[in-house]
Amino acid sequence: MTFRPKFITFDCYGTLTNFDMAGAARRIYAGDLAEPAMAQFIRNFAAYRLDEILGAWKPYAEVVHNSLERTCKRNGVTFREEDALRIYNEVPTWGPHFDVPEGLAKVAKEIPLVILSNAMKSQIMSNVEKLGAPFHMVITAEETGSYKPQMNGFEYMLDKLRCGPEDITHVSSSFRYDLMTAHDMGIKSKVWVNRGHEPANPYYEYTEIADIRGLPGVFGL
């Protein structure tokens, strides 16, 4: 039988929203770095953003500021505070991947949708409004007091939804931020959206889809 969850829970940035940190870095530092140095800068920026969220919660503006400053230092580029602010302010302007509205709209007619995101309340609703489907609930790291991949956010979400890990399907394009933790939380129903961020890892037992247009089929819709 096809599993029909009580809720489908989503990562937002990267999975639904086209999280264009790489593009932002290119727009700012194109005059300072040529390939392959730019590609290395972008990889370091992503790694430092992950490192910055593994401790106590802090506002996302600080996450961007600190990770960009560390990246600039490592790559021999001048760090400017206004560049970090520019990137932070870009985030709410980013829209969905092209496949998202169609897939979400079809699923939302049958199953409530929930977002658990490493976001600030002041930012994310602008992104959510662009996704083209209604959401039952949007939960941010600011609300939970921690960033994924820490477990606290998942625990908070399950408590707020008044359900257990067996009742949901979690959807993400990232193992490191979402699906590894979902696995450890006992969430059996997981969907990996293969957007090319990370290689496949079958150990974590998921259904793979190429994009969100494939999501209705996971639930027989």
Side-chain angles (χ1 to χ4, degrees):
M1 291 180 62
T2 301
F3 176 61
R4 183 68 66 94
K6 292 181 179 178
F7 303 95
I8 305 174
T9 62
F10 293 86
D11 166 61
C12 184
Y13 294 134
T15 302
L16 302 178
T17 294
N18 183 16
F19 194 55
D20 196 24
M21 284 289 183
R26 288 183 183 279
R27 287 186 283 277
I28 291 172
Y29 298 103
D32 299 302
L33 296 168
E35 298 293 344
M38 178 64 79
Q40 183 62 53
F41 185 96
I42 288 168
R43 286 192 294 270
N44 294 154
F45 189 26
Y48 282 128
R49 289 198 310 274
L50 176 61
D51 189 63
E52 282 288 329
I53 63 175
L54 295 178
W57 182 87
K58 52 182 170 264
Y60 197 67
E62 290 185 26
V63 172
V64 174
H65 180 285
N66 294 350
S67 57
L68 187 64
E69 185 172 23
R70 294 168 74 184
T71 302
C72 287
K73 180 180 179 181
R74 181 168 173 178
N75 289 270
V77 175
T78 300
F79 170 73
R80 298 176 291 267
E81 291 189 6
E82 58 268 28
D83 293 338
L85 183 60
R86 175 180 166 184
I87 292 175
Y88 178 79
N89 288 335
E90 267 198 36
V91 175
T93 72
W94 295 336
H97 293 286
F98 75 93
D99 53 274
V100 167
E102 178 185 344
L104 282 187
K106 190 170 183 179
V107 175
K109 294 176 183 177
E110 304 292 336
I111 306 170
L113 311 182
V114 175
I115 282 175
L116 175 64
S117 177
N118 284 354
M120 300 290 288
K121 297 175 186 176
S122 60
Q123 288 186 306
I124 194 168
M125 292 317 297
S126 176
N127 304 110
V128 172
E129 289 165 2
K130 299 176 178 68
L131 296 179
F135 278 82
H136 171 73
M137 191 177 294
V138 176
I139 300 171
T140 67
E142 182 180 11
E143 182 178 348
T144 67
S146 68
Y147 290 101
K148 298 177 297 179
Q150 297 181 59
M151 287 184 170
N152 307 56
F154 285 90
E155 292 171 328
Y156 179 96
M157 177 178 69
L158 292 173
D159 286 345
K160 196 161 185 180
L161 293 174
R162 298 182 180 180
C163 68
E166 69 278 3
D167 297 318
I168 69 171
T169 295
H170 192 67
V171 181
S172 178
S173 61
S174 175
F175 292 99
R176 297 182 77 180
Y177 278 92
D178 282 85
L179 296 178
M180 292 168 68
T181 306
H183 176 273
D184 292 343
M185 288 289 300
I187 299 170
K188 300 296 185 185
S189 180
K190 298 179 288 296
V191 175
W192 177 47
V193 187
N194 185 356
R195 297 205 182 277
H197 305 321
E198 302 167 14
N201 194 334
Y203 174 81
Y204 292 102
E205 300 178 326
Y206 51 83
T207 298
E208 178 180 345
I209 57 176
D211 59 47
I212 298 297
R213 291 173 300 183
L215 191 61
V218 174
F219 307 105
L221 301 176

